[in-house]
Amino acid sequence: MSSNKKYWKSVEELNENSSIVDALRSNEFVEEIPTDSFLGNADKLNATGTSRRDFLKFVGFSTAAATLAACEGPVHKSIPYVVQPESVIPGVADYYATTVFDGYDFANVLVKTREGRPIKIENNKTAGATFSANARVHASILGLYDNYRIKQPTIKGKTADFDTVSNAISKALADAKTAGKQVVLLTPTIASPTTFKLIAEFIAANPTAKHVMYDAVSSSAALDAYQQAFGTRGLVDYDLSKADVVVGIGADFLGDWQGGGYEKGYTSKRVPKNGKMSKHFQFEANMTLSGASADKRVPMSNYQQIQALLTVYGVVTGTGVSGNVDAKHKDAVSKAAQQLKAAGSKGVLLCGIDDKNAQLLALAINAALTSEAYTTAGTRLVRQGSNAAIAQVLQEMNAGNVGVLITSHVNPVYSLPKSYGFEAAMKKVPTSVFIGLRSDETAVASSIVIGSNHYLESWGDYSLLKGSYALAQPTIRPLFSANKQFEDVLLALTGRKNLSYYDYLKANFPVVSGGLSWGKVLHDGVNGTYAIGQSTGVAVGDAVTVLSAAKSEGPYELNLYSKVGMGDGQHANNPWLQEFPDPITRVSWDNYVTVSKADADKLGLVNLNVANGGLNGSYVNLTVGSAKLEKVPVIIQPGQAPGTIGLSFGYGKKEGLKEEMQVGSNAFVLYQNFKSTVPVSISKADGEHEFACVQLHKTLMGRGDIVKETTLEIFRTEDASKWNVAPMVSLDHSPVKAVEVDLWDSFDRSTGHHFNLSIDLNACTGCGACVIACHAENNVPVVGKSEVRRSRDMHWLRIDRYYSSETTFEGDNEKKEGFDGLTGDKGSLGGFLELESASENPQVAFQPVMCQHCNHAPCETVCPVAATSHSRQGQNHMAYNRCVGTRYCANNCPYKVRRFNWFLYNNNDEFDFHMNDDLGKMVLNPDVNVRSRGVMEKCSMCIQMTQATILEAKRSGREVRADEFETACSAACSSGAMKFGDVNNKDSEVASLLKDERMYHLLEHVGTKPNVMYHVKVRNV
């Protein structure tokens, strides 16, 4: 019996009069196949003149082509060179040496360009190139392609050409000269001899003018002390490769202290050689990179740091001076002082206390030691700002004595505390001129605005160290033709509009370079020699008396600092740096107050993990004098000195940047009298903040095959089998080394290249330069705070930070091994819960982790479409076109280093970062795919770089040199922690490191046979 029951697939089918349904029923294909677009002569397709075979051939071709077109992405047509420049070879990168100095960061670098487009910053390894690029310098290339850059000069908000603007400024200068009013040129620290000459000529043409240098994060106390002692306004350049004992008091010298750049010398003595390594004591309030690397770290307040400094001064100089050190700190301070004195010329003290008298004592201590690491001939000229000069400028502005204010690449409206009233003072100046990259807070308050060239579009010269000389050259024509670099503006204002700064610089070169060759310095980027010499004694005057009278102020002190990712804030519109996780807290897209656990309990402040794995925290209100900062989120920081709180500069900006980047709180509001340590009132505020934290405050929990470490004493006296224990597995009921057992047959990899990456935990400082370099080289997308909070960050390389639960990591292991049963005082249940909490003053270990490129990779065996496979050269490949996003590989990876593209991150308004506008995309590396939604991605061991090296050697008709291979991370690592190379080349450094007794692999017992090796961390305790 037939059924009259009606079946339907859509509601529309129930409508019997639907023309759409009828059309779909009668047509097999919804749209006509566009045969004509594929066939050259459609007229041949007729009933009489075309055979069945021809018809099927044509249709087969047509449908196949249509299918191919549907599977491919959109095609973007490009116009080739009409006349190809001789210096440009398509597909081949060019490198140009230059020097970076933006008033805060500085480095000697190489700029990688493709078809005339700068795409990456590399370290310049030429002899004499002293300063390496930090994370911010690596990321600064993205600032070149910032769509928020000023593109046209303006007068009172209306666009104008440069001639009109320069004429208006010249008239204002003439009016100021006639009226006898001052002209103030306010710039960051300038280290260019040619720019100084040009400024002197500007002042000569405008006799009432003066030049004032302003550092947003002041080093004035150290500069004043150095100037008093040696007559030059500069800073000591320390060579830590010559120090066996390093004592740091409030100085984060592995961070931004005195501009940074000390990690290379420091780590050269931290890797144990012949059973020896340097000893490092650190006394500080905030947990810093320097404190994290120290052998002995003592958390203490600023007042206690002063007392420790007095004690060390007394011991080293033998003057009998003694500070009032707390009983709990006395032993550590005494040991540091005695070992420093015993080291003599092989010892050095680094002081970051924001006080001129303290800085004088530090100079005197190093002079008394005759420290080889302490030289004053090679004076650093990278900080020269004066607090007193800024105060005087404000006074003159408020008095109405300033007729013209020209600010260049500084943002005092943002970075000076509101109580200084800089913005209000600007309104009393008839003409205020702003020269800079973005329309920031000071630009908005200025009457005339001129867009400046990026450093990659500019000529310049620098003397970063006394006696050194370096050139900066543009690597691209200015993107915005209406913009001018600062020096070109000065040339125009001194009546030389037709003279380019390039011509002015080249004409002045023989005078300032000391007879160097223009071509050689331009090629190398830097002169290979600079002044060296030993320091002389330092007169401290009444510094000891003044410091001895210091008192502890208030129950809490605020310690302001510059964050590794954000610095002084001028890179706030850089999404790479905003998404860069802080090395210590692992938080991105925020700044925050750091408090100790004890103080958090007193104030009722909490951090808690929520269901999606995110971290939430309390808010606090801060008050310093009359300045207030409300609703600042809190991170409970292990190692924070009780009674102290930390807060970083660089956040809270609102002008000249995208809404997504307008995050955090402006710590400069509390920067009273340029003091980085001030008494503060703190109170809990309502609400709960959502952090984007990629690694919560977890511990190693005794997993000794992740981070392995030992003490120098054990390292020297015991066999490696005792401190670098090889994991064992059972084979035929007998224990054997895990590395000797295979589940699969191994390929012969002894011929050709076989790449390995070595990471030395002793040399890694957690600086993060490798993370940003990887971002730039491999087109890693930025996903934003919301996605990072969901654990969807896309970094191919992460730097895990581990805390110890006990005082040391060895204490963690002993506690774990001492568990007896499940419950009770020594039970594992409560014991492991205790191991989840970091110590009040934990030891810290940094560990970079990327794809381990396993020779027996678990990801490869579970991929159903063979998207991930292994090469003969040891790299684990990803064929993005094959990947269908099952994520089996991520589930099967024991190292959790694979990243899934949950969304399309380019050309997507939901991710409005550099990949969402045409200008920002110019930074993309054409050698690396931009991945699409649904694709798994991870570290490729920079296969494009290794292949380019092989091809270059082949083109030159030679073998690849021993240590010629590089990856983005190894090339960026200035501390020497990462070494990359071919282990089949027995002359390579990585081949010898593979045989080192400190070498081990992560999770070696799993049997994955990784091509990334680590070296046991040795502590000199």
Side-chain angles (χ1 to χ4, degrees), residues 720-751:
S721 61
K722 298 291 180 68
W723 49 263
N724 189 7
V725 180
M728 309 293 283
V729 295
S730 178
L731 179 65
D732 296 332
H733 306 289
S734 299
V736 296
K737 291 182 178 180
V739 294
E740 297 175 358
V741 180
D742 281 340
L743 291 178
W744 299 279
D745 293 335
S746 294
F747 291 100
D748 179 13
R749 303 187 187 280
S750 60
T751 58

mmCIF file of all heavy atoms in Angstrom, residues 720-751:
data_model
loop_
_atom_site.group_PDB
_atom_site.id
_atom_site.type_symbol
_atom_site.label_atom_id
_atom_site.label_comp_id
_atom_site.label_asym_id
_atom_site.label_seq_id
_atom_site.Cartn_x
_atom_site.Cartn_y
_atom_site.Cartn_z
ATOM 1 N N ALA A 720 78.272 13.483 35.565
ATOM 2 C CA ALA A 720 77.072 14.022 34.913
ATOM 3 C C ALA A 720 75.859 13.121 35.103
ATOM 4 O O ALA A 720 74.715 13.590 35.107
ATOM 5 C CB ALA A 720 77.335 14.235 33.424
ATOM 6 N N SER A 721 76.079 11.827 35.287
ATOM 7 C CA SER A 721 74.948 10.902 35.470
ATOM 8 C C SER A 721 74.185 11.185 36.754
ATOM 9 O O SER A 721 73.035 10.761 36.911
ATOM 10 C CB SER A 721 75.449 9.454 35.472
ATOM 11 O OG SER A 721 76.377 9.257 36.550
ATOM 12 N N LYS A 722 74.807 11.943 37.677
ATOM 13 C CA LYS A 722 74.149 12.265 38.937
ATOM 14 C C LYS A 722 73.279 13.522 38.812
ATOM 15 O O LYS A 722 72.223 13.608 39.424
ATOM 16 C CB LYS A 722 75.205 12.478 40.039
ATOM 17 C CG LYS A 722 76.036 11.263 40.334
ATOM 18 C CD LYS A 722 75.203 10.164 40.998
ATOM 19 C CE LYS A 722 76.034 8.944 41.308
ATOM 20 N NZ LYS A 722 77.030 9.163 42.356
ATOM 21 N N TRP A 723 73.740 14.535 38.055
ATOM 22 C CA TRP A 723 72.980 15.783 37.956
ATOM 23 C C TRP A 723 72.262 15.959 36.626
ATOM 24 O O TRP A 723 71.443 16.861 36.466
ATOM 25 C CB TRP A 723 73.868 16.987 38.238
ATOM 26 C CG TRP A 723 75.171 17.033 37.496
ATOM 27 C CD1 TRP A 723 76.385 16.638 37.967
ATOM 28 C CD2 TRP A 723 75.399 17.491 36.151
ATOM 29 N NE1 TRP A 723 77.361 16.815 37.015
ATOM 30 C CE2 TRP A 723 76.789 17.346 35.888
ATOM 31 C CE3 TRP A 723 74.589 18.025 35.157
ATOM 32 C CZ2 TRP A 723 77.355 17.703 34.668
ATOM 33 C CZ3 TRP A 723 75.140 18.373 33.949
ATOM 34 C CH2 TRP A 723 76.514 18.217 33.701
ATOM 35 N N ASN A 724 72.553 15.117 35.643
ATOM 36 C CA ASN A 724 71.814 15.102 34.381
ATOM 37 C C ASN A 724 71.352 13.670 34.150
ATOM 38 O O ASN A 724 71.854 12.953 33.290
ATOM 39 C CB ASN A 724 72.696 15.581 33.228
ATOM 40 C CG ASN A 724 71.921 15.785 31.937
ATOM 41 O OD1 ASN A 724 70.695 15.702 31.900
ATOM 42 N ND2 ASN A 724 72.642 16.050 30.856
ATOM 43 N N VAL A 725 70.387 13.289 34.953
ATOM 44 C CA VAL A 725 69.958 11.883 34.999
ATOM 45 C C VAL A 725 69.272 11.500 33.703
ATOM 46 O O VAL A 725 68.341 12.180 33.248
ATOM 47 C CB VAL A 725 69.012 11.648 36.192
ATOM 48 C CG1 VAL A 725 68.566 10.195 36.235
ATOM 49 C CG2 VAL A 725 69.705 12.043 37.490
ATOM 50 N N ALA A 726 69.720 10.411 33.100
ATOM 51 C CA ALA A 726 69.096 9.914 31.868
ATOM 52 C C ALA A 726 67.830 9.147 32.224
ATOM 53 O O ALA A 726 67.856 8.267 33.095
ATOM 54 C CB ALA A 726 70.068 9.013 31.119
ATOM 55 N N PRO A 727 66.698 9.444 31.595
ATOM 56 C CA PRO A 727 65.458 8.725 31.903
ATOM 57 C C PRO A 727 65.557 7.264 31.476
ATOM 58 O O PRO A 727 66.167 6.956 30.440
ATOM 59 C CB PRO A 727 64.396 9.476 31.102
ATOM 60 C CG PRO A 727 65.140 10.179 30.027
ATOM 61 C CD PRO A 727 66.485 10.485 30.584
ATOM 62 N N MET A 728 64.994 6.395 32.288
ATOM 63 C CA MET A 728 65.063 4.954 32.028
ATOM 64 C C MET A 728 63.669 4.415 31.731
ATOM 65 O O MET A 728 62.663 4.927 32.240
ATOM 66 C CB MET A 728 65.650 4.221 33.240
ATOM 67 C CG MET A 728 66.959 4.802 33.757
ATOM 68 S SD MET A 728 68.341 4.612 32.614
ATOM 69 C CE MET A 728 68.718 2.873 32.874
ATOM 70 N N VAL A 729 63.615 3.393 30.892
ATOM 71 C CA VAL A 729 62.358 2.686 30.614
ATOM 72 C C VAL A 729 62.628 1.196 30.769
ATOM 73 O O VAL A 729 63.780 0.752 30.825
ATOM 74 C CB VAL A 729 61.822 2.996 29.199
ATOM 75 C CG1 VAL A 729 61.434 4.460 29.074
ATOM 76 C CG2 VAL A 729 62.829 2.611 28.136
ATOM 77 N N SER A 730 61.559 0.435 30.825
ATOM 78 C CA SER A 730 61.693 -1.008 31.010
ATOM 79 C C SER A 730 61.654 -1.714 29.656
ATOM 80 O O SER A 730 60.737 -1.496 28.866
ATOM 81 C CB SER A 730 60.560 -1.523 31.895
ATOM 82 O OG SER A 730 60.658 -2.929 32.030
ATOM 83 N N LEU A 731 62.640 -2.529 29.389
ATOM 84 C CA LEU A 731 62.689 -3.338 28.175
ATOM 85 C C LEU A 731 63.005 -4.768 28.582
ATOM 86 O O LEU A 731 64.057 -5.034 29.176
ATOM 87 C CB LEU A 731 63.762 -2.807 27.214
ATOM 88 C CG LEU A 731 63.935 -3.592 25.905
ATOM 89 C CD1 LEU A 731 62.677 -3.475 25.054
ATOM 90 C CD2 LEU A 731 65.149 -3.091 25.128
ATOM 91 N N ASP A 732 62.067 -5.669 28.277
ATOM 92 C CA ASP A 732 62.218 -7.066 28.697
ATOM 93 C C ASP A 732 62.470 -7.149 30.199
ATOM 94 O O ASP A 732 63.337 -7.900 30.678
ATOM 95 C CB ASP A 732 63.360 -7.742 27.929
ATOM 96 C CG ASP A 732 63.087 -7.820 26.439
ATOM 97 O OD1 ASP A 732 61.889 -7.864 26.068
ATOM 98 O OD2 ASP A 732 64.052 -7.806 25.650
ATOM 99 N N HIS A 733 61.719 -6.311 30.936
ATOM 100 C CA HIS A 733 61.768 -6.273 32.397
ATOM 101 C C HIS A 733 63.114 -5.818 32.951
ATOM 102 O O HIS A 733 63.433 -6.062 34.121
ATOM 103 C CB HIS A 733 61.420 -7.651 32.984
ATOM 104 C CG HIS A 733 60.115 -8.190 32.493
ATOM 105 N ND1 HIS A 733 58.907 -7.664 32.876
ATOM 106 C CD2 HIS A 733 59.844 -9.185 31.601
ATOM 107 C CE1 HIS A 733 57.930 -8.327 32.266
ATOM 108 N NE2 HIS A 733 58.475 -9.241 31.480
ATOM 109 N N SER A 734 63.871 -5.135 32.125
ATOM 110 C CA SER A 734 65.152 -4.595 32.587
ATOM 111 C C SER A 734 65.203 -3.106 32.271
ATOM 112 O O SER A 734 64.745 -2.678 31.206
ATOM 113 C CB SER A 734 66.326 -5.300 31.895
ATOM 114 O OG SER A 734 66.321 -6.676 32.200
ATOM 115 N N PRO A 735 65.750 -2.289 33.179
ATOM 116 C CA PRO A 735 65.831 -0.842 32.919
ATOM 117 C C PRO A 735 66.912 -0.527 31.892
ATOM 118 O O PRO A 735 68.044 -1.001 32.001
ATOM 119 C CB PRO A 735 66.171 -0.251 34.283
ATOM 120 C CG PRO A 735 66.859 -1.362 35.009
ATOM 121 C CD PRO A 735 66.273 -2.642 34.505
ATOM 122 N N VAL A 736 66.545 0.245 30.889
ATOM 123 C CA VAL A 736 67.500 0.715 29.888
ATOM 124 C C VAL A 736 67.247 2.197 29.658
ATOM 125 O O VAL A 736 66.175 2.712 29.956
ATOM 126 C CB VAL A 736 67.375 -0.057 28.551
ATOM 127 C CG1 VAL A 736 67.723 -1.516 28.733
ATOM 128 C CG2 VAL A 736 65.982 0.105 27.967
ATOM 129 N N LYS A 737 68.224 2.898 29.112
ATOM 130 C CA LYS A 737 68.055 4.320 28.817
ATOM 131 C C LYS A 737 66.981 4.506 27.756
ATOM 132 O O LYS A 737 66.958 3.785 26.754
ATOM 133 C CB LYS A 737 69.375 4.939 28.357
ATOM 134 C CG LYS A 737 70.423 5.051 29.444
ATOM 135 C CD LYS A 737 71.681 5.730 28.919
ATOM 136 C CE LYS A 737 72.715 5.871 30.027
ATOM 137 N NZ LYS A 737 73.955 6.538 29.535
ATOM 138 N N ALA A 738 66.137 5.500 27.963
ATOM 139 C CA ALA A 738 65.028 5.737 27.041
ATOM 140 C C ALA A 738 65.506 6.021 25.630
ATOM 141 O O ALA A 738 64.859 5.651 24.647
ATOM 142 C CB ALA A 738 64.169 6.897 27.546
ATOM 143 N N VAL A 739 66.677 6.670 25.511
ATOM 144 C CA VAL A 739 67.165 7.039 24.181
ATOM 145 C C VAL A 739 67.638 5.827 23.384
ATOM 146 O O VAL A 739 67.868 5.927 22.181
ATOM 147 C CB VAL A 739 68.305 8.069 24.283
ATOM 148 C CG1 VAL A 739 67.784 9.379 24.841
ATOM 149 C CG2 VAL A 739 69.458 7.539 25.139
ATOM 150 N N GLU A 740 67.789 4.679 24.052
ATOM 151 C CA GLU A 740 68.276 3.490 23.372
ATOM 152 C C GLU A 740 67.148 2.594 22.882
ATOM 153 O O GLU A 740 67.395 1.542 22.289
ATOM 154 C CB GLU A 740 69.195 2.702 24.305
ATOM 155 C CG GLU A 740 70.459 3.476 24.705
ATOM 156 C CD GLU A 740 71.295 2.737 25.726
ATOM 157 O OE1 GLU A 740 70.876 1.643 26.160
ATOM 158 O OE2 GLU A 740 72.378 3.247 26.099
ATOM 159 N N VAL A 741 65.903 3.011 23.130
ATOM 160 C CA VAL A 741 64.752 2.197 22.752
ATOM 161 C C VAL A 741 63.931 2.942 21.714
ATOM 162 O O VAL A 741 63.634 4.125 21.877
ATOM 163 C CB VAL A 741 63.870 1.880 23.986
ATOM 164 C CG1 VAL A 741 62.678 1.035 23.584
ATOM 165 C CG2 VAL A 741 64.691 1.183 25.049
ATOM 166 N N ASP A 742 63.569 2.240 20.630
ATOM 167 C CA ASP A 742 62.765 2.840 19.569
ATOM 168 C C ASP A 742 61.534 1.993 19.305
ATOM 169 O O ASP A 742 61.603 0.754 19.311
ATOM 170 C CB ASP A 742 63.565 2.940 18.263
ATOM 171 C CG ASP A 742 64.526 4.117 18.272
ATOM 172 O OD1 ASP A 742 64.296 5.029 19.074
ATOM 173 O OD2 ASP A 742 65.495 4.109 17.495
ATOM 174 N N LEU A 743 60.404 2.643 19.051
ATOM 175 C CA LEU A 743 59.216 1.950 18.584
ATOM 176 C C LEU A 743 59.207 1.846 17.064
ATOM 177 O O LEU A 743 58.515 1.030 16.489
ATOM 178 C CB LEU A 743 57.950 2.679 19.048
ATOM 179 C CG LEU A 743 57.659 2.650 20.546
ATOM 180 C CD1 LEU A 743 56.403 3.455 20.850
ATOM 181 C CD2 LEU A 743 57.492 1.223 21.035
ATOM 182 N N TRP A 744 59.956 2.743 16.412
ATOM 183 C CA TRP A 744 60.002 2.774 14.953
ATOM 184 C C TRP A 744 61.434 2.604 14.479
ATOM 185 O O TRP A 744 62.389 2.873 15.207
ATOM 186 C CB TRP A 744 59.471 4.118 14.420
ATOM 187 C CG TRP A 744 58.055 4.401 14.790
ATOM 188 C CD1 TRP A 744 56.935 3.926 14.177
ATOM 189 C CD2 TRP A 744 57.609 5.220 15.862
ATOM 190 N NE1 TRP A 744 55.803 4.398 14.795
ATOM 191 C CE2 TRP A 744 56.189 5.204 15.840
ATOM 192 C CE3 TRP A 744 58.243 5.975 16.848
ATOM 193 C CZ2 TRP A 744 55.407 5.901 16.743
ATOM 194 C CZ3 TRP A 744 57.481 6.669 17.757
ATOM 195 C CH2 TRP A 744 56.085 6.628 17.705
ATOM 196 N N ASP A 745 61.546 2.208 13.226
ATOM 197 C CA ASP A 745 62.866 2.186 12.598
ATOM 198 C C ASP A 745 63.310 3.613 12.332
ATOM 199 O O ASP A 745 62.517 4.448 11.905
ATOM 200 C CB ASP A 745 62.823 1.410 11.271
ATOM 201 C CG ASP A 745 62.563 -0.065 11.486
ATOM 202 O OD1 ASP A 745 62.881 -0.554 12.581
ATOM 203 O OD2 ASP A 745 62.007 -0.716 10.570
ATOM 204 N N SER A 746 64.584 3.883 12.559
ATOM 205 C CA SER A 746 65.118 5.223 12.336
ATOM 206 C C SER A 746 65.764 5.312 10.963
ATOM 207 O O SER A 746 66.333 4.343 10.462
ATOM 208 C CB SER A 746 66.155 5.572 13.405
ATOM 209 O OG SER A 746 65.549 5.666 14.667
ATOM 210 N N PHE A 747 65.640 6.496 10.341
ATOM 211 C CA PHE A 747 66.288 6.743 9.059
ATOM 212 C C PHE A 747 67.759 7.087 9.294
ATOM 213 O O PHE A 747 68.140 7.598 10.341
ATOM 214 C CB PHE A 747 65.603 7.904 8.322
ATOM 215 C CG PHE A 747 64.215 7.581 7.852
ATOM 216 C CD1 PHE A 747 63.120 8.018 8.573
ATOM 217 C CD2 PHE A 747 64.006 6.848 6.684
ATOM 218 C CE1 PHE A 747 61.837 7.729 8.150
ATOM 219 C CE2 PHE A 747 62.726 6.552 6.256
ATOM 220 C CZ PHE A 747 61.633 6.993 6.983
ATOM 221 N N ASP A 748 68.551 6.820 8.301
ATOM 222 C CA ASP A 748 69.948 7.236 8.337
ATOM 223 C C ASP A 748 70.019 8.722 8.013
ATOM 224 O O ASP A 748 69.720 9.136 6.890
ATOM 225 C CB ASP A 748 70.751 6.420 7.323
ATOM 226 C CG ASP A 748 72.213 6.841 7.307
ATOM 227 O OD1 ASP A 748 72.637 7.568 8.234
ATOM 228 O OD2 ASP A 748 72.927 6.455 6.355
ATOM 229 N N ARG A 749 70.359 9.548 8.980
ATOM 230 C CA ARG A 749 70.427 10.995 8.778
ATOM 231 C C ARG A 749 71.874 11.499 8.791
ATOM 232 O O ARG A 749 72.120 12.668 9.038
ATOM 233 C CB ARG A 749 69.614 11.712 9.859
ATOM 234 C CG ARG A 749 68.165 11.264 9.907
ATOM 235 C CD ARG A 749 67.338 12.098 10.863
ATOM 236 N NE ARG A 749 66.006 11.544 11.007
ATOM 237 C CZ ARG A 749 65.017 11.734 10.136
ATOM 238 N NH1 ARG A 749 65.220 12.480 9.071
ATOM 239 N NH2 ARG A 749 63.827 11.189 10.328
ATOM 240 N N SER A 750 72.803 10.623 8.524
ATOM 241 C CA SER A 750 74.213 11.011 8.609
ATOM 242 C C SER A 750 74.705 11.720 7.356
ATOM 243 O O SER A 750 75.795 12.285 7.363
ATOM 244 C CB SER A 750 75.073 9.777 8.873
ATOM 245 O OG SER A 750 74.915 8.832 7.814
ATOM 246 N N THR A 751 73.928 11.671 6.279
ATOM 247 C CA THR A 751 74.324 12.373 5.057
ATOM 248 C C THR A 751 73.449 13.591 4.851
ATOM 249 O O THR A 751 72.292 13.629 5.272
ATOM 250 C CB THR A 751 74.205 11.443 3.833
ATOM 251 O OG1 THR A 751 72.858 10.971 3.729
ATOM 252 C CG2 THR A 751 75.158 10.267 3.948
#
